[in-house]
Amino acid sequence: MDLVDTATEEGRRLAVQVTELKSKAAGLESASNISDGFSHRQTFGGVEVTYAVFQRSNERNRGPGVYITGIRRVNKDDSGKDHAPGLYRVDFSAGRGWEISDSPCDNISTTVGAIGAVFSGGRYSAGETGRSFGGYFTEKLSGGKLNDGFSLYYAPSYLVDSLGVWRTSEQKTNPQGAGPKQLAQLFKATLPWSSSANPEVKYEWYVFGEGAKMLSLALNEYKGSAPAR
């Protein structure tokens, strides 16, 4: 009741959308928790609803159905209007500054990279992330290291939270997706694991904010399978 005012037209519409979860729960418009197959999440206007779907009775429910486990105000934009999470390239353009674009390949094409996302103006923005990180690199790194731009693994914190790792609605329709496993695969495809690799190539990766959660989980993917070096 604190988040949805049913005395307003918008509030009534949101209330109807939430109650309709029982008929369309866990669909392509929702995010799904990889750590817990029962848990899902969906955004309605300014409200984010986390819920669990149970097909049969167990110790976590009172019978089959859709159970709302959390409601909070939206503090992000994952509607697809901005860039979806994943790997991008950021280059400096005279007169326009740092600009983000799709990565031209399925590995890391630059020696400098960043993991994280910037929260600005009440939402996450890949464009603002590229500009912010680019400004940081311009100040902290020598020009030669950035002459070919940098790679950005855009990872808003909602991909990983206290409830686990979430597979977003974009990931359900885009098989490339984004997440710890995909980041681990990028590292594996790019970094010089073999002894014959060029030792002169030095990769520098910078982790910002809660991007540390993403990196930590990506490194966990290597447990038991690290190369012998």
Side-chain angles (χ1 to χ4, degrees):
M1 295 300 293
D2 290 335
L3 300 180
V4 180
D5 182 3
T6 54
T8 66
E9 181 178 350
E10 180 183 7
R12 288 190 292 271
R13 179 176 55 82
L14 288 174
V16 169
Q17 289 177 322
V18 172
T19 56
E20 286 180 346
L21 274 174
K22 60 186 178 182
S23 62
K24 61 178 183 178
L28 288 177
E29 296 179 354
S30 66
S32 298
N33 194 316
I34 297 175
S35 313
D36 177 1
F38 296 104
S39 297
H40 306 273
R41 178 177 287 169
Q42 194 160 341
T43 299
F44 303 97
V47 176
E48 179 185 79
V49 179
T50 303
Y51 59 93
V53 179
F54 297 104
Q55 303 294 336
R56 57 182 61 87
S57 299
N58 60 35
E59 68 279 0
R60 295 177 56 183
N61 64 56
R62 299 181 180 179
V66 177
Y67 293 78
I68 293 177
T69 57
I71 299 179
R72 66 179 183 179
R73 295 190 187 280
V74 173
N75 67 343
K76 64 181 188 300
D77 178 29
D78 63 349
S79 63
K81 296 178 181 178
D82 195 19
H83 300 76
L87 180 67
Y88 295 91
R89 181 176 171 119
V90 184
D91 294 285
F92 187 82
S93 173
R96 286 186 280 187
W98 291 101
E99 293 187 312
I100 187 172
S101 60
D102 291 338
S103 177
C105 54
D106 57 0
N107 59 23
I108 300 163
S109 60
T110 64
T111 56
V112 175
I115 304 171
V118 168
F119 185 76
S120 177
R123 61 193 287 268
Y124 285 103
S125 167
E128 183 60 33
T129 298
R131 288 187 289 272
S132 177
F133 293 177
Y136 174 86
F137 290 146
T138 300
E139 180 180 346
K140 300 295 183 181
L141 302 181
S142 60
K145 292 182 179 180
L146 283 175
N147 59 2
D148 57 351
F150 65 94
S151 296
L152 168 65
Y153 198 76
Y154 178 51
S157 64
Y158 60 81
L159 286 179
V160 182
D161 62 17
S162 60
L163 297 178
V165 181
W166 293 87
R167 184 168 181 251
T168 66
S169 56
E170 290 93 341
Q171 287 177 274
K172 290 182 177 181
T173 56
N174 177 7
Q176 295 299 322
K181 181 174 293 186
Q182 287 80 8
L183 179 56
Q185 291 171 343
L186 283 168
F187 283 147
K188 186 175 181 180
T190 304
L191 300 183
W193 301 116
S194 69
S195 58
S196 61
N198 183 358
E200 299 302 319
V201 178
K202 305 295 183 182
Y203 290 90
E204 294 187 22
W205 276 80
Y206 296 78
V207 184
F208 296 87
E210 295 192 9
K213 293 180 181 179
M214 182 69 70
L215 176 61
S216 177
L217 289 170
L219 294 178
N220 284 339
E221 295 287 330
Y222 290 108
K223 285 185 175 180
S225 60
R229 285 196 63 184

mmCIF file of all heavy atoms in Angstrom, residues 140-156:
data_model
loop_
_atom_site.group_PDB
_atom_site.id
_atom_site.type_symbol
_atom_site.label_atom_id
_atom_site.label_comp_id
_atom_site.label_asym_id
_atom_site.label_seq_id
_atom_site.Cartn_x
_atom_site.Cartn_y
_atom_site.Cartn_z
ATOM 1 N N LYS A 140 43.656 8.806 -15.078
ATOM 2 C CA LYS A 140 44.547 7.915 -14.344
ATOM 3 C C LYS A 140 45.574 7.181 -15.213
ATOM 4 O O LYS A 140 46.627 6.795 -14.717
ATOM 5 C CB LYS A 140 43.720 6.875 -13.589
ATOM 6 C CG LYS A 140 42.745 7.453 -12.565
ATOM 7 C CD LYS A 140 43.477 8.139 -11.431
ATOM 8 C CE LYS A 140 42.486 8.637 -10.377
ATOM 9 N NZ LYS A 140 43.174 9.334 -9.253
ATOM 10 N N LEU A 141 45.278 6.964 -16.489
ATOM 11 C CA LEU A 141 46.157 6.160 -17.331
ATOM 12 C C LEU A 141 46.885 7.022 -18.358
ATOM 13 O O LEU A 141 46.362 8.047 -18.792
ATOM 14 C CB LEU A 141 45.351 5.077 -18.066
ATOM 15 C CG LEU A 141 44.563 4.096 -17.202
ATOM 16 C CD1 LEU A 141 43.855 3.077 -18.086
ATOM 17 C CD2 LEU A 141 45.470 3.385 -16.200
ATOM 18 N N SER A 142 48.043 6.582 -18.751
ATOM 19 C CA SER A 142 48.775 7.289 -19.797
ATOM 20 C C SER A 142 48.058 7.102 -21.135
ATOM 21 O O SER A 142 47.407 6.078 -21.368
ATOM 22 C CB SER A 142 50.202 6.755 -19.892
ATOM 23 O OG SER A 142 50.210 5.370 -20.202
ATOM 24 N N GLY A 143 48.192 8.085 -22.016
ATOM 25 C CA GLY A 143 47.448 8.078 -23.271
ATOM 26 C C GLY A 143 47.670 6.852 -24.127
ATOM 27 O O GLY A 143 46.758 6.378 -24.805
ATOM 28 N N GLY A 144 48.886 6.303 -24.117
ATOM 29 C CA GLY A 144 49.188 5.159 -24.957
ATOM 30 C C GLY A 144 48.360 3.939 -24.649
ATOM 31 O O GLY A 144 48.086 3.116 -25.533
ATOM 32 N N LYS A 145 47.930 3.788 -23.417
ATOM 33 C CA LYS A 145 47.149 2.612 -23.038
ATOM 34 C C LYS A 145 45.721 2.680 -23.560
ATOM 35 O O LYS A 145 45.044 1.670 -23.682
ATOM 36 C CB LYS A 145 47.136 2.463 -21.514
ATOM 37 C CG LYS A 145 48.485 2.109 -20.909
ATOM 38 C CD LYS A 145 48.382 1.942 -19.409
ATOM 39 C CE LYS A 145 49.731 1.570 -18.815
ATOM 40 N NZ LYS A 145 49.657 1.411 -17.337
ATOM 41 N N LEU A 146 45.265 3.891 -23.868
ATOM 42 C CA LEU A 146 43.871 4.065 -24.278
ATOM 43 C C LEU A 146 43.731 4.453 -25.745
ATOM 44 O O LEU A 146 42.648 4.849 -26.170
ATOM 45 C CB LEU A 146 43.202 5.138 -23.423
ATOM 46 C CG LEU A 146 42.791 4.732 -22.003
ATOM 47 C CD1 LEU A 146 42.248 5.936 -21.256
ATOM 48 C CD2 LEU A 146 41.758 3.626 -22.033
ATOM 49 N N ASN A 147 44.813 4.332 -26.522
ATOM 50 C CA ASN A 147 44.729 4.809 -27.902
ATOM 51 C C ASN A 147 43.740 4.015 -28.740
ATOM 52 O O ASN A 147 43.340 4.445 -29.819
ATOM 53 C CB ASN A 147 46.115 4.797 -28.563
ATOM 54 C CG ASN A 147 46.737 3.408 -28.577
ATOM 55 O OD1 ASN A 147 46.128 2.444 -28.123
ATOM 56 N ND2 ASN A 147 47.948 3.318 -29.089
ATOM 57 N N ASP A 148 43.337 2.840 -28.250
ATOM 58 C CA ASP A 148 42.342 2.058 -28.994
ATOM 59 C C ASP A 148 41.060 1.877 -28.188
ATOM 60 O O ASP A 148 40.279 0.978 -28.439
ATOM 61 C CB ASP A 148 42.916 0.698 -29.381
ATOM 62 C CG ASP A 148 43.405 -0.085 -28.163
ATOM 63 O OD1 ASP A 148 43.443 0.500 -27.064
ATOM 64 O OD2 ASP A 148 43.737 -1.269 -28.318
ATOM 65 N N GLY A 149 40.818 2.767 -27.231
ATOM 66 C CA GLY A 149 39.611 2.675 -26.418
ATOM 67 C C GLY A 149 39.724 1.601 -25.359
ATOM 68 O O GLY A 149 40.809 1.087 -25.062
ATOM 69 N N PHE A 150 38.578 1.235 -24.757
ATOM 70 C CA PHE A 150 38.591 0.195 -23.733
ATOM 71 C C PHE A 150 37.339 -0.657 -23.834
ATOM 72 O O PHE A 150 36.340 -0.263 -24.449
ATOM 73 C CB PHE A 150 38.733 0.802 -22.330
ATOM 74 C CG PHE A 150 37.576 1.656 -21.869
ATOM 75 C CD1 PHE A 150 36.542 1.105 -21.116
ATOM 76 C CD2 PHE A 150 37.526 3.008 -22.174
ATOM 77 C CE1 PHE A 150 35.483 1.889 -20.673
ATOM 78 C CE2 PHE A 150 36.465 3.807 -21.729
ATOM 79 C CZ PHE A 150 35.447 3.240 -20.983
ATOM 80 N N SER A 151 37.424 -1.843 -23.254
ATOM 81 C CA SER A 151 36.287 -2.763 -23.232
ATOM 82 C C SER A 151 35.488 -2.543 -21.950
ATOM 83 O O SER A 151 36.054 -2.299 -20.882
ATOM 84 C CB SER A 151 36.772 -4.217 -23.286
ATOM 85 O OG SER A 151 37.430 -4.471 -24.503
ATOM 86 N N LEU A 152 34.170 -2.618 -22.065
ATOM 87 C CA LEU A 152 33.285 -2.452 -20.915
ATOM 88 C C LEU A 152 32.394 -3.668 -20.771
ATOM 89 O O LEU A 152 31.662 -4.013 -21.698
ATOM 90 C CB LEU A 152 32.411 -1.196 -21.091
ATOM 91 C CG LEU A 152 31.246 -1.051 -20.114
ATOM 92 C CD1 LEU A 152 31.760 -0.858 -18.680
ATOM 93 C CD2 LEU A 152 30.347 0.117 -20.521
ATOM 94 N N TYR A 153 32.491 -4.325 -19.618
ATOM 95 C CA TYR A 153 31.518 -5.366 -19.306
ATOM 96 C C TYR A 153 30.474 -4.698 -18.422
ATOM 97 O O TYR A 153 30.663 -4.527 -17.223
ATOM 98 C CB TYR A 153 32.169 -6.553 -18.599
ATOM 99 C CG TYR A 153 31.292 -7.799 -18.652
ATOM 100 C CD1 TYR A 153 31.198 -8.546 -19.824
ATOM 101 C CD2 TYR A 153 30.546 -8.209 -17.551
ATOM 102 C CE1 TYR A 153 30.387 -9.661 -19.902
ATOM 103 C CE2 TYR A 153 29.741 -9.326 -17.625
ATOM 104 C CZ TYR A 153 29.662 -10.052 -18.794
ATOM 105 O OH TYR A 153 28.858 -11.147 -18.875
ATOM 106 N N TYR A 154 29.391 -4.280 -19.074
ATOM 107 C CA TYR A 154 28.335 -3.510 -18.411
ATOM 108 C C TYR A 154 27.538 -4.442 -17.504
ATOM 109 O O TYR A 154 26.848 -5.345 -17.980
ATOM 110 C CB TYR A 154 27.448 -2.883 -19.487
ATOM 111 C CG TYR A 154 26.281 -2.083 -18.977
ATOM 112 C CD1 TYR A 154 26.436 -1.093 -18.016
ATOM 113 C CD2 TYR A 154 25.004 -2.300 -19.492
ATOM 114 C CE1 TYR A 154 25.361 -0.354 -17.564
ATOM 115 C CE2 TYR A 154 23.913 -1.557 -19.065
ATOM 116 C CZ TYR A 154 24.107 -0.594 -18.097
ATOM 117 O OH TYR A 154 23.039 0.140 -17.659
ATOM 118 N N ALA A 155 27.664 -4.230 -16.200
ATOM 119 C CA ALA A 155 27.074 -5.159 -15.231
ATOM 120 C C ALA A 155 26.345 -4.405 -14.126
ATOM 121 O O ALA A 155 26.882 -4.198 -13.040
ATOM 122 C CB ALA A 155 28.171 -6.040 -14.628
ATOM 123 N N PRO A 156 25.105 -3.963 -14.388
ATOM 124 C CA PRO A 156 24.309 -3.322 -13.326
ATOM 125 C C PRO A 156 24.166 -4.246 -12.124
ATOM 126 O O PRO A 156 24.127 -5.475 -12.272
ATOM 127 C CB PRO A 156 22.958 -3.079 -14.007
ATOM 128 C CG PRO A 156 23.260 -3.078 -15.469
ATOM 129 C CD PRO A 156 24.364 -4.063 -15.649
#
